[in-house]
């Protein structure tokens, strides 16, 4: 696609879906879902080789949402892409719904890996990339991590492994919004210097504005040209992006918007769908 006006429209629709589905369920994680909308939009609507009519085609690219609590952004992208009807979004976290609080590969079309326990999705993405290499397959692997998530030790075991095996078919985005459920990252467990750490672990590291499609696509193009190293794209983002009263507020990490909040949010996003 790479028509930025169309991509921005898709991103706005995804944001509307996120706030509406979390309001309907009365629970969920809006802050970190809204912060990575442009990244997920770029991947699903341009970068990745995928087909909603044939979700299991062998040469498809794989996507793993390692920060599994941000499931609403993934579900919304899948619905917008046509993997299932958009009406399903309003069943988020309901009993017997295909859309549970964290992604479920057995219940949701298009979900490649069940995630939720932080760090495990990134590790699985590394394993998928290794499998593709071993099979001499053409497909690539993409994953999105939360910045608080890299406080987990297995992140660094996986990072070391991916560099050791030269997984240049692996692209990771770090959704670097600076906040986690208990506040600022550096106050909970300091993660700095992030760039230096991933470089030291042998990764190709790129820093971008995670809400700028030009920078997102430039980083993806650079990752494709990189040989012998996995790529970590450190994307500076805003938690709660697009909804003014949620932006940069740790309290919206896992709080559902009320009906009044939803009305304000949708107005800011251009009106209800």
């Amino acid at each position: 696609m790479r028509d930025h006006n169309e991509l921005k429209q898709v991103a706005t629709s995804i944001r509307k879906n996120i706030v509406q589905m979390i309001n309907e369920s009365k629970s969920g994680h809006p802050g970190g879902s809204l912060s990575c909308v442009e990244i997920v939009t770029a991947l699903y609507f341009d970068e990745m080789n995928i087909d909603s009519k044939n979700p299991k085609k062998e040469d498809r690219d794989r996507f793993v949402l390692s920060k599994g609590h941000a499931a609403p952004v993934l579900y919304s992208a899948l619905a917008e892409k046509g993997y299932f009807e958009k009406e399903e979004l309003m069943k988020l976290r309901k009993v017997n719904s295909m859309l549970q609080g964290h992604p479920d590969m057995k219940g949701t079309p298009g979900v490649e890996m069940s995630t939720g326990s932080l760090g495990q999705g990134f590790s699985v993405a590394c394993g998928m990339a290794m499998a593709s290499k071993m099979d001499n397959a053409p497909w690539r692997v993409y994953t999105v991590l939360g910045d608080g998530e890299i406080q987990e030790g297995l992140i660094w075991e996986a990072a070391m492994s991916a560099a050791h095996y030269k997984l240049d078919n692996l692209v990771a985005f770090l959704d670097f919004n600076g906040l986690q459920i208990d506040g600022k990252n550096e106050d909970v467990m300091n993660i700095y210097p992030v760039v230096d750490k991933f470089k030291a672990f042998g990764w190709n590291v790129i820093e971008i504005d995670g809400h700028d499609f030009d920078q997102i696509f430039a980083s993806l193009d650079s990752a494709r040209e990189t040989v012998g190293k996995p790529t970590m794209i450190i994307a500076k983002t805003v938690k709660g992006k697009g909804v003014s009263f949620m932006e940069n507020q740790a309290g919206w990490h896992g709080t559902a918007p009320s009906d009044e909040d939803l009305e304000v949010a949708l107005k800011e996003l251009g009106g209800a769908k």
Side-chain angles (χ1 to χ4, degrees):
M1 184 185 284
R2 296 216 178 177
D3 180 325
H4 289 198
N5 287 328
E6 287 189 36
L7 288 168
K8 288 176 181 177
Q9 291 177 18
V10 172
T12 297
S13 293
I14 288 176
R15 283 197 164 90
K16 290 178 182 178
N17 293 339
I18 289 169
V19 293
Q20 289 182 103
M21 62 200 292
I22 297 176
N23 163 264
E24 179 68 22
S25 71
K26 307 305 178 191
S27 67
H29 297 80
S33 297
L34 293 167
S35 64
C36 58
V37 168
E38 281 78 15
I39 295 168
V40 173
T41 300
L43 291 174
Y44 273 88
F45 291 86
D46 182 272
E47 174 69 13
M48 292 197 301
N49 171 30
I50 52 175
D51 183 357
S52 61
K53 302 287 193 299
N54 184 16
K56 294 294 185 182
K57 71 171 189 165
E58 289 188 10
D59 67 341
R60 71 190 184 280
D61 290 333
R62 272 67 164 176
F63 174 79
V64 178
L65 183 67
S66 194
K67 46 178 281 181
H69 56 278
V73 69
L74 174 57
Y75 297 157
S76 181
L78 291 172
E80 292 286 342
K81 193 69 177 176
Y83 282 84
F84 50 81
E85 295 298 322
K86 292 183 184 179
E87 288 74 15
E88 292 294 325
L89 296 176
M90 295 304 112
K91 301 176 185 177
L92 174 70
R93 293 181 169 235
K94 306 293 186 187
V95 174
N96 297 323
S97 167
M98 71 164 69
L99 305 181
Q100 290 303 303
H102 293 83
D104 178 6
M105 62 190 292
K106 295 182 178 180
T108 310
V111 172
E112 297 286 353
M113 183 61 203
S114 302
T115 55
S117 296
L118 295 179
Q120 291 184 0
F122 181 58
S123 301
V124 171
C126 292
M128 288 178 172
M130 189 181 299
S132 180
K133 285 282 189 183
M134 293 175 70
D135 290 343
N136 292 314
W139 48 271
R140 296 168 64 79
V141 182
Y142 299 85
T143 183
V144 173
L145 302 139
D147 48 1
E149 183 177 11
I150 67 172
Q151 294 162 349
E152 299 285 349
L154 74 169
I155 289 289
W156 301 102
E157 293 180 62
M160 180 168 52
S161 174
H164 177 79
Y165 290 106
K166 298 179 171 57
L167 302 181
D168 50 18
N169 59 342
L170 173 64
V171 180
F173 280 89
L174 181 65
D175 182 12
F176 202 175
N177 60 46
L179 297 170
Q180 56 191 108
I181 191 169
D182 290 324
K184 294 181 179 180
N185 297 327
E186 58 263 39
D187 294 337
V188 178
M189 180 59 68
N190 193 9
I191 60 176
Y192 294 97
V194 177
V195 173
D196 293 343
K197 285 178 180 175
F198 278 104
K199 284 184 176 180
F201 271 73
W203 285 60
N204 171 43
V205 181
I206 304 170
E207 296 180 80
I208 65 167
D209 176 343
H211 301 302
D212 185 312
F213 282 116
D214 281 327
Q215 294 186 39
I216 292 171
F217 286 124
S219 67
L220 288 167
D221 291 343
S222 177
R224 283 187 178 273
E225 295 169 0
T226 299
V227 178
K229 288 185 176 183
T231 294
M232 174 61 67
I233 301 171
I234 298 177
K236 187 70 176 70
T237 60
V238 175
K239 200 174 186 80
K241 176 70 173 177
V243 180
S244 62
F245 59 86
M246 292 186 183
E247 289 188 354
N248 288 315
Q249 300 298 316
W252 285 101
H253 176 89
T255 302
S258 66
D259 292 346
E260 293 75 16
D261 293 329
L262 177 63
E263 184 177 355
V264 174
L266 290 176
K267 184 176 181 179
E268 291 185 357
L269 292 169
K273 294 176 64 175

